[in-house]
Amino acid sequence: MQGENFPRLARGAAVGLAVSMRRLFMPLLALVAPLTLSAATGDAVPPTGTYYVAQYDPILLHFPAGWPLGGIRWYGLAYVAGFLIASWLMWLYAKHGRLALNADDRSILFSALVLGVLVGGRLGHLILYDFSDPTRRAEFMANPLLVLEVWKGGMASHGGFIGVVLGAWWFSRHSKMSFLSLGDLVATLAPPGLLLGRLANFVNGELWGKATTVPWAMIFPIRDGETIVGYTGPVHPSQLYEAATEGLLLMIYTQWRWWSRPPPGQPGALPTGQLGGEFLILYALVRIFCELFREPDASLFFGLSRGTLYSLFMILVGAGIIVWSKRRIPIKQRA
């Protein structure tokens, strides 16, 4: 009888998640809608024609001149919202008996993951991307504290993954919880943050795609700091492609896999590490797909973009985790 209840619980959890996400995102979408700027902040004039000009103000709330920060940025809010959703999901899992961590342990894990995302993402961008530019490399060597300036953007998802892995490894040592189990958990927490982060890239007008003439092509402003100095030609809105695949698609998939099987440790549950490995492989595949449309933001390696090259390593790691997780299952349980 208990096994028969899992489909009903999975459907109920999925409906509850959808309703909660709708309540969370609808107010945010209402705020984003009026963000289009009426004029450029520099001498450049917005082009006119058939293509949509995706010109938004990256700052939600501007601070007075002379303040240390220019204002509250949508990019930073995307990270905050992603962290809050991750915290809420952990609470939801614990409530339904799918996560054996008390409130204190969840708080410690949450702090470790946040630190891993911020430091790993920022340091990863500086090392994996900026170091190929001699000017940026010299700036970092002269001022290593640039790694802390997360509000300026420049976050690498692959670096963030490495930071999260290190944070999860530390927590596994602290709590004696299986590292592979933590990987499965984190795989379900990451996609909402990836979705919001890519939408923030779109609002920032950064990481746009390659030139194209498809009907849905868009034009983005080119900024020097906060000043618009020009505009791209029609390009793929690759940020939206990544939001749909890296974020929304993987969020649906990982939530379905998490709720459609019995909780970890029970008969019929996924092998420990399986979901984490699947996430790494699927993320790498959709990232490689999106790289076909995205303008490379650093020099190529062996004819491949940095995102593609790093994703190939993720496929190998994910496949290795899946093979390892299946080998750890007792022979009787496999049958």
Side-chain angles (χ1 to χ4, degrees), residues 2 6 92-94 96-101 177-186 188 254-255 257-276 328 333:
Q2 184 179 2
F6 282 115
L92 184 66
Y93 299 160
H96 289 277
R98 306 187 72 89
L99 180 61
L101 292 177
M177 183 177 178
S178 165
F179 176 71
L180 291 181
S181 296
L182 283 172
D184 293 336
L185 169 65
V186 171
T188 70
T254 55
Q255 288 299 314
R257 289 289 271 169
W258 179 265
W259 292 102
S260 63
R261 300 291 289 268
Q266 294 192 12
L270 287 173
T272 302
Q274 173 82 20
L275 184 53
R328 296 177 69 247
Q333 187 174 344

Side-chain angles (χ1 to χ4, degrees), residues 216-233:
W216 58 88
M218 298 183 186
I219 295 173
F220 292 91
I222 300 174
R223 288 186 169 89
D224 181 7
E226 301 300 328
T227 302
I228 295 177
V229 296
Y231 290 84
T232 68

Side-chain angles (χ1 to χ4, degrees), residues 141-200:
M141 298 302 293
N143 182 21
L145 293 180
L146 287 174
V147 71
L148 302 178
E149 297 180 354
V150 296
W151 59 87
K152 291 186 176 180
M155 301 285 283
S157 56
H158 293 94
F161 287 152
I162 295 174
V164 166
V165 167
L166 293 176
W169 174 80
W170 173 84
F171 182 80
S172 70
R173 299 290 299 272
H174 169 81
S175 66
K176 308 302 181 183
M177 183 177 178
S178 165
F179 176 71
L180 291 181
S181 296
L182 283 172
D184 293 336
L185 169 65
V186 171
T188 70
L189 305 179
L194 292 171
L195 168 61
L196 294 173
R198 292 309 183 191
L199 292 177

Side-chain angles (χ1 to χ4, degrees), residues 5-236:
N5 290 330
F6 282 115
R8 178 177 58 82
L9 290 174
R11 287 194 298 270
V15 171
L17 179 61
V19 172
S20 299
M21 297 292 278
R22 182 175 182 272
R23 291 176 177 173
L24 175 64
F25 290 131
M26 288 306 291
L28 293 177
L29 292 175
L31 288 172
V32 172
L35 281 182
T36 302
L37 298 179
S38 58
T41 55
D43 295 329
V45 178
T48 59
T50 59
Y51 294 106
Y52 177 71
V53 181
Q55 183 173 310
Y56 301 96
D57 190 345
I59 301 178
L60 169 63
L61 179 62
H62 291 262
F63 292 156
W67 283 34
L69 298 179
I72 298 176
R73 294 178 174 270
W74 287 102
Y75 193 83
L77 289 177
Y79 274 82
V80 172
F83 292 143
L84 292 177
I85 293 173
S87 178
W88 173 76
L89 285 173
M90 285 195 290
W91 170 84
L92 184 66
Y93 299 160
K95 178 182 178 181
H96 289 277
R98 306 187 72 89
L99 180 61
L101 292 177
N102 58 36
D104 289 339
D105 284 337
R106 294 199 304 272
S107 178
I108 295 173
L109 174 59
F110 176 77
S111 300
L113 296 180
V114 169
L115 187 62
V117 169
L118 295 180
V119 176
R122 182 68 176 142
L123 188 59
H125 189 277
L126 291 170
I127 294 176
L128 300 178
Y129 292 90
D130 281 357
F131 267 32
S132 62
D133 183 341
T135 301
R136 292 291 294 161
R137 182 168 63 248
E139 289 177 358
F140 175 72
M141 298 302 293
N143 182 21
L145 293 180
L146 287 174
V147 71
L148 302 178
E149 297 180 354
V150 296
W151 59 87
K152 291 186 176 180
M155 301 285 283
S157 56
H158 293 94
F161 287 152
I162 295 174
V164 166
V165 167
L166 293 176
W169 174 80
W170 173 84
F171 182 80
S172 70
R173 299 290 299 272
H174 169 81
S175 66
K176 308 302 181 183
M177 183 177 178
S178 165
F179 176 71
L180 291 181
S181 296
L182 283 172
D184 293 336
L185 169 65
V186 171
T188 70
L189 305 179
L194 292 171
L195 168 61
L196 294 173
R198 292 309 183 191
L199 292 177
N201 291 147
F202 178 75
V203 171
N204 282 355
E206 60 189 1
L207 304 181
W208 56 72
K210 297 177 180 178
T212 183
T213 57
V214 296
W216 58 88
M218 298 183 186
I219 295 173
F220 292 91
I222 300 174
R223 288 186 169 89
D224 181 7
E226 301 300 328
T227 302
I228 295 177
V229 296
Y231 290 84
T232 68
V235 297
H236 282 285

